[in-house]
Amino acid sequence: MQIGEIAKNNFSVRQAKVLARQAKFANKGVYAEADKFFTDNEMKKNLLSLMPKSVQTVDKLASSIGEIQNIIITAIGTGLIAPIFIKYNPLSKTDNDTKTYTALRQPVSAAIAVVTQATIVDRFNKFISNMTNSGKFTDKRYDKSGFQDEKYIAEQLKKQYPNEGKDAIAARVKELRKTQLQNLMNSARRHNTIQYVSDGKVVSLNPEDFKVVLDSTAKDMMKHVEANLKRYKEIKPAMKIDRAVYLRNNGNEVKLTLEKLHEEITQLKTEKEVAKLLKSKVQQLESSNTHKELIGIFNDIKGRPSKELVLDKIKHNIEKVGNFANCKTDEEVVKKIQDMLDVKINKFEAEKIQIQKLQSSINGKINIRKLERIVKDTSPDFVYNVVQKHIDRVSKSINGFKQKTGLLISLAILPVSCAILNYVYPKIMDALFPNLSKTKKSKEKDKFVKSSVETQTQAETVKDKNTQEVSK
Amino acid sequence: MSGISRITTNYLTQGLDRLSRTKSSEIISKKYCANDMKFIAGLGIASIVLKDGLGCYLYVKQSLNNKKIPSDKRKFVAALDMTNGGLMILMQILMFKTISNPKIQDKFFNRLFQKYFDRTARKGYQALMKDKFNIQKLTGKDFNITFEAFRKKCSGTLGVLTSLVAATIIAKRVIVPFIATPLADYAKKYLSKDEKTPDDCHDSKNETDNKAVNFSAKNGETNLLKAAKRG
């Protein structure tokens, strides 16, 4: 990116020079670390594409549900559904006219809610988003300008490059975000804090706040290691030992069964047929009181999502049988399993010690490169994780602030929308449903007057007739 | 940007900046960063109670004093606002503690999608990722972190959707109006209890739509007739 181009994107010239110098190195692999962010995102997209349609639908719906859609869905419920349950409520003894009059208030209320909330609340949230992305908050816990939102950058770039297509803008957005992320990581190493340029000024996280970020990152790492240790010490041994003992004692039978299954599946053509066969095999085993370990093996194979992977898993299980066939006793099997697990447990214990050392080093004077060296074997992405933790904390702070401002705005709008409803609603009812908006007494009066006028008119007609007859 | 728009933006920016530097904002930020679910849930409930509580009070007060609403319907409109508001608060707190509760959400998610996220499925997807997308260097650790993050995102999404459908639509727009409407009959009596003269068309339990109001008339004529003829 050229300096002029960067400067146009709401960055100061100084900031633009810094970014341009660093952008020069972007393609030389110097910013390969920042690629992790995009490869992680890419992995999530790939994983989503493998998931069944129901999971994909849930994910799609989530990304499309935002503040405006929330307000509209709520308004549809208020305007279309609630009136039915007021008007046609069999439990209420109030007269129908009153219920209808009251029910029709709901759509009017919904329309006012959409207009007031959608225009004000949503705009407010966008305004706050713009403030956080452009570094307008004095308190830097709400400052996202060091790593801006994808949407915000896209909007800025669209203004600058109005003739470019979606793909070109997306590529520029990716490049800029990569640069920003790598800058944060580099500055963390250089200055031992999160530092970036925002609105022409250098912004640094103060040492206490940065220590909180480091502590939080170390805590997450420790949680992950402790969860793994628990799995390998408490959950996996029983699982693995039971399976291994079963394989040792029934190896030949299992091997024959799996080889036969391998043959059957090789002959099938489609994934559907494979899935159907495996499902029926599992059902057969369950209904014939087969050993739970064999059912477990078949379930593991059934869990593989393609024919190639199913065949691969069957081969893997056949090899496993061979692993324990040479063990003379069950105790030997248990020892073998324990030795295998101990390798992993020792690895996690070593990682735990490193993290404990990291945590004690954080309490002293912070030196990021030193901390990075402490955990380089087990957590080579330490600085990346620290920066991600900072970005995550900023997002959470902003969410909390939006919750607070959202409440204050809603409370402020309430008297206005209430006043509008009470002004507009009777007028609408008088104009569109005059019968409903009359009082019962005036309706009865009208009815009485009408019937009396008709009676009087009839009486006068009869009188005139009689008078004419008499005159004849 | 016009002058007025610029001035408004400046004032708004300054106002929000000042608001962000208050003690309460600092506390909220710390609690959100620490994922203090008790605080976050409590703040959510307090928001509901304040918004719906104030809304209920304003709507009832304004309906009662709104002379443009026909007098025979005014009390019922206000009564329905009152019962709606009260039930809305209770229903949302109930939904918050049940359907929107993370533990219940987890159980619900596991019932629907556990088979796509259990150990067997996870191993399968890892193998498929390596195979289909040629990511041979994909380590178990990297994949597990991404898989777990994806699972949390799906679980969170399902929570938002169930809250929207169950709490916002079914609970607030179906159940609440259904219960609030008959309750409004009682609330209306409560609102009318201090009146010395009955309302113009006081709706008693036995009143039917067809009951005519009795107007006394002499010799079959009333002033209303003359007025109607003149009109």
Side-chain angles (χ1 to χ4, degrees), chain A residues 136-307:
Chain A
K136 293 278 191 303
F137 280 106
T138 314
D139 191 334
K140 293 307 162 190
R141 78 179 81 224
Y142 306 107
D143 190 348
K144 267 191 180 178
S145 58
F147 186 62
Q148 293 160 322
D149 287 337
E150 203 173 326
K151 252 188 190 171
Y152 177 81
I153 298 175
E155 273 168 23
Q156 304 302 313
L157 289 174
K158 262 183 216 162
K159 286 179 205 165
Q160 194 184 336
Y161 304 100
N163 297 326
E164 280 193 11
K166 216 173 164 182
D167 291 338
I169 296 286
R172 287 183 186 275
V173 168
K174 188 176 172 181
E175 195 190 330
L176 189 54
R177 291 190 97 206
K178 192 168 149 184
T179 312
Q180 288 181 344
L181 186 58
Q182 192 63 54
N183 289 341
L184 285 175
M185 289 193 275
N186 292 345
S187 72
R189 287 187 180 101
R190 205 175 299 130
H191 305 287
N192 295 314
T193 187
I194 302 289
Q195 192 178 86
Y196 50 92
V197 176
S198 172
D199 205 20
K201 296 176 201 145
V202 174
V203 173
S204 278
L205 212 59
N206 65 47
E208 291 81 30
D209 288 342
F210 189 55
K211 261 190 190 155
V212 171
V213 174
L214 289 171
D215 263 331
S216 198
T217 312
K219 258 192 202 140
D220 284 351
M221 287 164 69
M222 184 60 91
K223 233 195 252 175
H224 183 75
V225 159
E226 280 175 350
N228 276 326
L229 273 171
K230 187 176 175 181
R231 247 175 2 117
Y232 277 86
K233 280 183 175 174
E234 292 170 30
I235 300 167
K236 281 206 173 218
M239 257 171 58
K240 289 213 172 266
I241 287 169
D242 286 349
R243 181 67 60 93
V245 164
Y246 173 76
L247 287 176
R248 185 198 149 251
N249 295 321
N250 302 281
N252 290 332
E253 179 197 320
V254 171
K255 196 173 171 185
L256 283 168
T257 310
L258 290 176
E259 279 167 352
K260 189 180 167 195
L261 181 67
H262 191 278
E263 247 181 71
E264 284 177 40
I265 287 177
T266 312
Q267 284 164 19
L268 296 175
K269 294 204 172 95
T270 64
E271 310 288 355
K272 250 188 177 172
E273 284 172 351
V274 171
K276 199 175 172 186
L277 175 72
L278 286 168
K279 190 176 175 185
S280 70
K281 290 273 181 195
V282 170
Q283 280 171 348
Q284 234 175 309
L285 291 172
E286 281 169 351
S287 58
S288 60
N289 284 328
T290 316
H291 197 286
K292 66 177 172 72
E293 289 303 329
L294 187 61
I295 297 172
I297 292 171
F298 269 73
N299 268 326
D300 283 347
I301 295 167
K302 190 178 132 208
R304 293 297 162 117
S306 78
K307 182 179 165 185

Side-chain angles (χ1 to χ4, degrees), chain A residues 1 37 65 96 102 115 126 178 203 215 218 224 233 240 246 253 297 308 310 351 375-376 386 408 416 448 450 461:
Chain A
M1 270 186 146
F37 178 77
I65 292 227
N96 273 341
T102 317
V115 167
K126 278 200 176 119
K178 192 168 149 184
V203 173
D215 263 331
H224 183 75
K233 280 183 175 174
K240 289 213 172 266
Y246 173 76
E253 179 197 320
I297 292 171
E308 289 74 27
V310 162
E351 196 175 330
V375 291
K376 74 173 167 36
V386 169
L408 294 173
V416 174
F448 178 78
K450 195 179 168 187
T461 313

Side-chain angles (χ1 to χ4, degrees), chain A residues 36 40 43-44 46-52 54-55 58-59 61-62 65 70 73-74 77-78 81-82 85-86 89-99 101-102 105-106 109 124 127-128 131 136-139 141-142 224 231 239 299-300 303-306 309 351 378-379 393 396-397 399-401 403-405 407-408 410-411 414-415 417-419 421-423 426-427 436-441 444-445 448-449 452-453 456 460, chain B residues 9 12-13 16-17 19-22 24-26 28-30 32-33 35 43-44 47 50-51 54-55 58-59 62-63 66 68-73 76-77 80-81 84 113 116-117 119-125 127-129 131-133 135 138 141-147 149-150 153-154 157-158 160-161 164 168-169 173-174 177-179 181-182 185 200-201 203 205 207-209 211-213 215 217 221-222 224-225 228-229:
Chain A
K36 186 171 166 27
D40 280 353
M43 212 192 317
K44 280 178 199 158
N46 290 339
L47 186 58
L48 181 64
S49 70
L50 299 174
M51 287 277 173
S54 52
V55 176
V58 166
D59 188 75
L61 283 170
I65 292 227
N70 248 349
I73 288 169
T74 308
T78 313
I81 300 171
F85 288 91
I86 297 170
N89 196 317
L91 302 175
S92 172
K93 306 233 180 325
T94 308
D95 64 288
N96 273 341
D97 278 356
T98 306
K99 280 197 279 188
Y101 185 90
T102 317
R105 201 158 176 258
Q106 301 296 315
S109 169
F124 235 90
F127 193 87
I128 293 173
M131 276 183 72
K136 293 278 191 303
F137 280 106
T138 314
D139 191 334
R141 78 179 81 224
Y142 306 107
H224 183 75
R231 247 175 2 117
M239 257 171 58
N299 268 326
D300 283 347
R304 293 297 162 117
S306 78
L309 292 171
E351 196 175 330
T378 51
S379 302
R393 287 173 67 83
K396 283 179 178 165
S397 295
N399 286 344
F401 184 68
Q403 174 84 354
K404 179 180 166 181
T405 50
L407 173 63
L408 294 173
S410 300
L411 292 176
L414 259 173
S417 49
C418 181
L421 177 66
N422 275 284
Y423 177 76
K427 289 192 186 302
L436 283 177
S437 61
K438 280 184 188 169
T439 64
K440 198 161 185 172
K441 187 176 180 184
E444 293 296 334
K445 275 184 193 171
F448 178 78
V449 164
S452 298
V453 165
Q456 185 77 358
E460 281 176 2
Chain B
T9 307
L12 209 52
T13 306
L16 284 169
D17 188 39
L19 190 65
S20 72
R21 283 182 275 137
T22 56
S24 61
S25 296
E26 193 186 326
I28 290 170
S29 165
K30 282 189 176 145
Y32 265 71
C33 288
N35 270 335
L43 188 64
S47 298
L50 274 172
K51 274 191 280 192
L54 179 66
L58 285 173
Y59 279 111
Q62 292 215 10
S63 299
N66 191 344
K68 294 196 178 88
I69 300 176
S71 49
D72 62 331
K73 295 174 178 70
F76 187 78
V77 170
L80 190 64
D81 284 338
N84 247 343
F113 297 119
Y116 306 124
F117 291 95
R119 183 185 168 273
T120 312
R122 182 168 47 84
K123 292 283 185 190
Y125 285 125
L128 203 54
M129 288 279 279
D131 182 53
K132 198 170 178 183
F133 300 107
I135 317 171
L138 181 65
K141 187 179 175 185
D142 283 341
F143 177 79
N144 285 339
I145 290 172
T146 305
F147 191 79
F150 183 76
K153 186 191 168 198
C154 280
T157 304
L158 190 69
V160 167
L161 290 172
L164 194 62
T168 306
I169 295 177
R173 309 301 166 199
V174 173
F178 193 73
I179 301 171
T181 311
D185 292 336
D200 279 354
C201 282
D203 288 326
K205 270 190 185 176
E207 202 163 7
T208 63
D209 287 350
K211 190 177 175 184
V213 175
F215 292 99
E221 282 189 12
T222 66
L224 291 169
L225 270 175
K229 279 183 185 173

Side-chain angles (χ1 to χ4, degrees), chain B residues 192-205:
Chain B
S192 310
K193 74 175 183 320
D194 289 333
E195 281 179 0
K196 286 183 186 168
T197 53
D199 204 352
D200 279 354
C201 282
H202 178 68
D203 288 326
S204 70
K205 270 190 185 176

